[in-house]
Amino acid sequence: MRIQINRTTRRIAGVLLLLLLSVTSYGATAGNIEGTWHGTLKLNAMKLSIVMHFSDNACTLDSPDQGAKGIKGEVREITAEKVDVAFPTLNATYTGMLKDGKIEGTFTQMGYKLPLVLEEGQPVRIRPQTPQPPFPYQTEEVSFVNTEDSVSLAGTLTYPVGYNSKRKVPVVIMVTGSGLQNRDEELFEHKPFLVIADFLARNGIASLRYDDRGAGLSTGDIENVTTEGFCRDAAAGIAFLRKTGHFSKIGVLGHSEGGSIAFMLAAQKKCDFIVSMAGPGLRGDSIIVEQTNELLRQQGQPATMTVRQMRLTMLLQKTNPWYDYFVDFDPAPVIKQIKCPALLLNGDKDSQVMAASNIPVIRALLSDNEKHQLPDNQVIKVYPGLNHLFQHCTTGMPAEYGSIEETISEEVLHDIAEWIKNTTISKQ
């Protein structure tokens, strides 16, 4: 099976190694197979949810685990009992027969033949932590501008329960991980930033979350942007929050690449505190090599990728400005400059920004002594059993994210809120 880096998940949280599915459309006639069907592709520890929609002269495919919907397919044959669909851009096919209410078939790609059984209907995903209205707090739709890059960012400002404009409260601006994401950092129908905003509001803390440039209601160039450009977007958000005059301390809560951006803004002294959720301490090329080797291990293959091999492979591939910047970016000089209060979190089963290799580096960079003792205002915590999204998990691999009902650990939510309150509210 061909595994590549998805364009929409190319930034750091998501230098995710996922199956790309991209097709074109023609058609035949659908009989009893007409409708929506879903199933799961399995390759060793990897699982990928697939949804196919069959109608009179066409089919479309969704890959919910990748956030891809409505991808057109080339239908070679559809009858009342048989389906035969080609994926020419991937040199892949799916053929199946209707039997006892299910389509039993085979997905073939790049020499791999995988069973794929489709059941009728949409897959049901339960997300119990997603907040539901009515809410006991106020929200406001806002926008702000990164004038340097001519980017307009649209977002939601959430005030804490019982907010009174006469009393200033702390606020965090949330910065997403890699890949174009909306203000909720929505991934696999999980909405972690919405969950965090809701929890903070119920604990006396305001928040601003916004659509990435080029996503949702935000504008801006995404073809040539690098992490530095996304950092300028977040800095514009901080300036907007300061201009309102409603808030006391202004912090940055960043996930994965957003953690890198939190480091950068702290080093620039643009914020009063930061919360880094799986922010990296290693250079980008090392991050990619670790991700690749972990994927190989999970597939039962030798994990022997080196930085040199990765760099040689990179020379043969067409890359983009974001990827080039990420591979070369070393956060060490930035992290060394951080003096503000900082809460740095990781899960010990994170397979994208691995705690075992990144946390010791970050701790050493923040410390001014040989014992690597952190300053009193900086805290590092690694959670047992949590993955890159801070979900309780089994393997920690990205293939699990969509199948886990939990959006984010309650312990992590509690720790973030308590640390912010202890760091800001108690010291006003």
Side-chain angles (χ1 to χ4, degrees):
M1 179 172 293
R2 186 180 180 189
I3 304 295
Q4 297 181 352
I5 296 173
N6 190 324
R7 175 71 165 78
T8 61
T9 56
R10 63 187 179 180
R11 296 188 276 144
I12 200 174
V15 185
L16 301 181
L17 300 175
L18 296 177
L19 176 69
L20 294 179
L21 299 171
S22 177
V23 293
T24 54
S25 175
Y26 298 95
T29 301
N32 295 337
I33 288 178
E34 184 172 318
T36 297
W37 300 77
H38 72 276
T40 302
L41 279 175
K42 299 179 181 179
L43 178 62
N44 297 324
M46 293 187 62
K47 296 180 181 179
L48 187 69
S49 180
I50 299 295
V51 181
M52 294 187 187
H53 309 275
F54 303 112
S55 58
D56 285 343
N57 292 307
C59 88
T60 60
L61 182 147
D62 301 340
S63 179
D65 293 343
Q66 298 175 278
K69 297 182 179 180
I71 303 170
K72 294 181 179 180
E74 179 182 312
V75 176
R76 302 194 298 198
E77 182 181 8
I78 296 181
T79 68
E81 297 179 343
K82 181 180 180 181
V83 59
D84 186 351
V85 185
F87 303 91
T89 58
L90 293 178
N91 190 27
T93 61
Y94 176 69
T95 59
M97 297 290 296
L98 186 63
K99 182 179 180 181
D100 297 329
K102 298 180 179 180
I103 302 175
E104 298 183 2
T106 301
F107 186 91
T108 304
Q109 184 184 39
M110 303 298 289
Y112 288 90
K113 291 187 177 182
L114 302 178
L116 177 58
V117 177
L118 300 177
E119 299 183 19
E120 196 166 9
Q122 287 275 8
V124 177
R125 291 189 164 182
I126 301 172
R127 300 293 182 255
Q129 288 178 289
T130 301
Q132 301 297 329
F135 303 118
Y137 48 79
Q138 302 174 22
T139 63
E140 180 184 357
E141 297 303 294
V142 299
S143 63
F144 53 93
V145 178
N146 167 1
T147 55
E148 184 174 348
D149 296 350
S150 300
V151 175
S152 176
L153 291 309
T156 301
L157 184 56
T158 302
Y159 295 95
V161 174
Y163 173 73
N164 184 333
S165 60
K166 295 181 181 180
R167 182 176 181 274
K168 293 184 178 181
V169 296
V171 63
V172 295
I173 182 170
M174 302 186 192
V175 186
T176 68
S178 55
L180 291 184
Q181 298 176 32
N182 63 23
R183 66 194 68 185
D184 296 329
E185 201 190 30
E186 187 167 356
L187 193 66
F188 316 126
E189 299 177 30
H190 285 292
K191 299 179 179 180
F193 277 11
L194 174 59
V195 173
I196 294 172
D198 177 83
F199 193 90
L200 294 181
R202 296 172 189 271
N203 284 273
I205 303 163
S207 64
L208 172 61
R209 62 190 197 277
Y210 59 95
D211 299 329
D212 289 347
R213 65 161 71 187
L217 300 178
S218 295
T219 67
D221 172 37
I222 62 171
E223 296 301 322
N224 300 297
V225 68
T226 68
T227 303
E228 287 185 339
F230 291 115
C231 183
R232 291 191 292 271
D233 292 345
I238 294 173
F240 164 77
L241 291 172
R242 291 203 187 280
K243 189 175 181 180
T244 66
H246 294 165
F247 308 106
S248 54
K249 301 293 185 179
I250 299 176
V252 179
L253 184 152
H255 178 228
S256 199
E257 183 189 23
S260 291
I261 291 171
F263 294 155
M264 295 164 76
L265 292 168
Q268 296 168 18
K269 297 181 172 56
K270 291 185 180 294
C271 54
D272 300 311
F273 64 92
I274 62 169
V275 177
S276 166
M277 302 179 68
L282 299 176
R283 198 170 66 179
D285 52 8
S286 295
I287 294 287
I288 293 174
V289 168
E290 286 199 337
Q291 290 178 353
T292 303
N293 283 331
E294 181 60 22
L295 180 64
L296 291 170
R297 277 190 290 270
Q298 291 287 335
Q299 294 177 341
Q301 300 180 35
T304 57
M305 172 68 74
T306 65
V307 169
R308 182 176 182 275
Q309 289 172 330
M310 188 280 292
R311 289 279 186 173
L312 290 174
T313 302
M314 184 179 170
L315 293 175
L316 302 176
Q317 297 177 338
K318 183 179 179 180
T319 59
N320 55 67
W322 179 88
Y323 187 79
D324 293 341
Y325 181 94
F326 167 69
V327 168
D328 291 331
F329 177 65
D330 182 359
V334 174
I335 295 173
K336 281 183 178 180
Q337 299 178 56
I338 298 175
K339 302 301 179 184
C340 69
L343 176 64
L344 304 107
L345 311 177
N346 268 87
D348 75 348
K349 287 196 173 182
D350 189 335
S351 63
Q352 292 180 248
V353 180
M354 298 179 190
S357 54
N358 284 271
I359 288 298
V361 172
I362 293 173
R363 182 182 296 275
L365 291 168
L366 291 174
S367 304
D368 291 327
N369 55 69
E370 293 181 358
K371 294 182 179 180
H372 295 167
Q373 293 177 337
L374 293 173
D376 291 340
N377 63 353
Q378 295 174 350
V379 176
I380 290 177
K381 186 169 183 178
V382 177
Y383 296 86
L386 299 191
N387 62 18
H388 189 64
L389 301 187
F390 293 86
Q391 302 167 305
H392 288 89
C393 63
T394 302
T395 68
M397 297 302 293
E400 283 187 318
Y401 297 165
S403 62
I404 298 173
E405 293 184 4
E406 179 183 54
T407 295
I408 182 172
S409 162
E410 290 285 344
E411 181 184 1
V412 173
L413 292 171
H414 180 269
D415 287 349
I416 291 173
E418 286 302 305
W419 182 84
I420 293 174
K421 287 192 290 186
N422 292 336
T423 300
T424 60
I425 297 176
S426 63
K427 296 184 179 181
Q428 291 182 39

